[in-house]
Amino acid sequence: MANLVAGLAIVSFAISWLATLAMKRLAPRLGFVDSPGHRKIHHVPKPLGGGVAIFLGVALPLLGVIAIGWFRDFDPASNLIAYAGGIRRQTPLALWLLGAMLAMHLMGLLDDRKTLGPYVKLIIQLAVTTALVAQFKPLWALTTLDDAIGAGGALSVTVSVLWIVTITNAFNFLDNMDGLSAGVAAVCTTAFLIAALSVEQWFVAGMLGMLLGALVGFLCFNFHPATIFMGDSGSLVIGLLLGVLTLRAIYLPEGMNLSSGWYSVLAPVIVLAVPLYDLLVVSAIRISHGRSPFVGDANHLSHRLVARGMSRRTAVLCIWLMTACTAIAAILLTQVQSQFGAGLILGQTLLVLGLVGLLEQHRVEEGTQARGGKGSDGGG
């Protein structure tokens, strides 16, 4: 089954690579470009539409797997019949997730073409996410606490929706430098994929494999100096998928219950520690200055590293490595059998974030230009 996941990743990579190449050539003809201007560091128009490639890199293989599971005949004596049954059981969630991805993608395309207000985007994100989460109890967080207080699912749905929307905006905010958002997402996806494979959670692993292939295919054209941008149509899809799949995944070691292995549920927070840190810090800075947290500026970690003297390429690679440090720690967290070991891993994560905090202690002058999302700050 692991070979199937690898195969899906390869197919997604090929689709994404070809689609990115096609959009790179087609977007300028359609006028779908990011022109130089306020808060942008590129000096010539750059094609948009990389998000189309990422979306297709996940959506097309997913539809193919669903079609095979439903319409291909398998030998009843073959092990494949069991996998076909699994595909059919997961089809409702897969189709709803695909619908949510499409809604986010179309909203992102519209925003890339004609900027939408940040609160309009937030309302749509909340509506789409709520519709998805409310349909599937496996996506509900804190169900034990919810049952204990008799909230009837309201607490679980609320927490899950807020988690997904937060992750969605974290990657939207992070799309402010060539290769940054897609690269960090690839690192996080790899960590979640390893965890999913270790417990044979095949639906989650398959989806993560497709996402990883799509991200790497796009990164071939997006790493500095980028020749195409993903735009909100890509960053919103990435955040949505990671938010949903982290809720669907299992983190407790085999044979351990929640009371003794409670720390394992912190694994997704640790994997995503760097993008979450950037989201929270940048939002806090903007609010403290009396500005909306959704109005972009150059206060991101990446901008501060460049202000310290790093090249943009080095700053992006530095953030990739920071994310890899917390991601490896999170993988280990799901395997430890003692609270002492978990405490060491949590302590290491805090030390990494402390290092991040020290590195970004560099004043960025107001008016400094930045590029992200659709050539500005991705709405964040």
Side-chain angles (χ1 to χ4, degrees):
M1 196 63 179
N3 291 335
L4 177 58
V5 174
L8 288 172
I10 293 171
V11 170
S12 293
F13 169 83
I15 293 172
S16 177
W17 191 91
L18 291 171
T20 304
L21 180 62
M23 289 302 301
K24 179 181 170 182
R25 296 176 178 177
L26 181 61
R29 299 178 186 177
L30 299 176
F32 193 40
V33 297
D34 183 34
S35 301
H38 179 55
R39 295 189 296 109
K40 301 175 185 181
I41 58 178
H42 57 285
H43 303 295
V44 296
K46 291 288 182 74
L48 285 165
V52 175
I54 294 172
F55 174 77
L56 292 178
V58 177
L60 293 183
L62 177 58
L63 288 172
V65 170
I66 293 172
I68 291 171
W70 279 92
F71 300 113
R72 179 178 173 180
D73 294 327
F74 294 95
D75 183 351
S78 170
N79 289 332
L80 293 177
I81 193 69
Y83 296 134
I87 291 172
R88 293 173 183 178
R89 288 192 299 273
Q90 297 293 344
T91 294
L93 174 57
L95 291 177
W96 270 85
L97 179 55
L98 183 60
M101 288 168 52
L102 179 60
M104 291 286 199
H105 179 61
L106 292 177
M107 179 182 70
L109 282 175
L110 181 59
D111 188 50
D112 291 336
R113 190 78 185 196
K114 182 179 180 181
T115 303
L116 300 174
Y119 295 103
V120 172
K121 291 166 57 180
L122 182 60
I123 290 171
I124 295 174
Q125 290 176 32
L126 289 168
V128 170
T129 305
T130 300
L132 173 64
V133 171
Q135 291 292 322
F136 298 98
K137 197 168 183 178
L139 298 180
W140 294 8
L142 303 179
T143 52
T144 301
L145 177 60
D146 199 309
D147 293 340
I149 64 176
L155 175 63
S156 297
V157 171
T158 300
V159 171
S160 296
V161 168
L162 292 177
W163 168 257
I164 295 171
V165 170
T166 298
I167 300 306
T168 299
N169 283 286
F171 282 95
N172 189 217
F173 273 42
L174 203 61
D175 190 23
N176 57 69
M177 202 163 283
D178 294 350
L180 181 55
S181 185
V184 169
V187 172
C188 295
T189 300
T190 301
F192 290 127
L193 178 58
I194 293 171
L197 288 172
S198 69
V199 294
E200 299 184 349
Q201 197 171 12
W202 300 120
F203 172 75
V204 174
M207 291 295 302
L208 289 168
M210 288 184 280
L211 177 58
L212 180 60
L215 289 168
V216 176
F218 168 70
L219 271 171
C220 292
F221 300 89
N222 185 243
F223 190 60
H224 184 80
T227 56
I228 188 171
F229 299 150
M230 74 166 76
D232 282 11
S233 63
S235 61
L236 295 177
V237 170
I238 292 169
L240 172 73
L241 271 173
L242 284 175
V244 170
L245 294 175
T246 51
L247 289 174
R248 187 67 180 80
I250 297 172
Y251 304 101
L252 282 173
E254 185 176 358
M256 182 173 288
N257 57 42
L258 183 61
S259 61
S260 57
W262 59 269
Y263 45 80
S264 294
V265 301
L266 297 176
V269 178
I270 294 177
V271 171
L272 297 163
V274 174
L276 287 173
Y277 175 92
D278 189 61
L279 171 71
L280 294 174
V281 170
V282 170
S283 296
I285 291 173
R286 292 171 183 173
I287 292 171
S288 69
H289 291 168
R291 299 195 300 266
S292 167
F294 298 105
V295 175
D297 56 26
N299 279 302
H300 291 278
L301 170 62
S302 55
H303 301 138
R304 293 177 182 274
L305 293 180
V306 170
R308 274 190 171 274
M310 291 186 185
S311 68
R312 297 185 193 111
R313 182 191 294 259
T314 300
V316 168
L317 289 174
C318 184
I319 297 173
W320 285 14
L321 291 175
M322 293 173 185
T323 305
C325 288
T326 62
I328 291 173
I331 294 172
L332 295 174
L333 183 66
T334 64
Q335 304 299 319
V336 298
Q337 301 289 324
S338 69
Q339 295 193 19
F340 176 73
L344 291 177
I345 291 172
L346 294 174
Q348 175 185 320
T349 303
L350 293 176
L351 290 174
V352 171
L353 293 180
L355 175 62
V356 172
L358 289 175
L359 286 174
E360 74 167 1
Q361 292 302 311
H362 193 287
R363 181 178 177 81
V364 178
E365 294 182 7
E366 291 295 324
T368 300
Q369 292 181 322
R371 204 272 321 146
K374 46 189 178 297
S376 55
D377 200 12

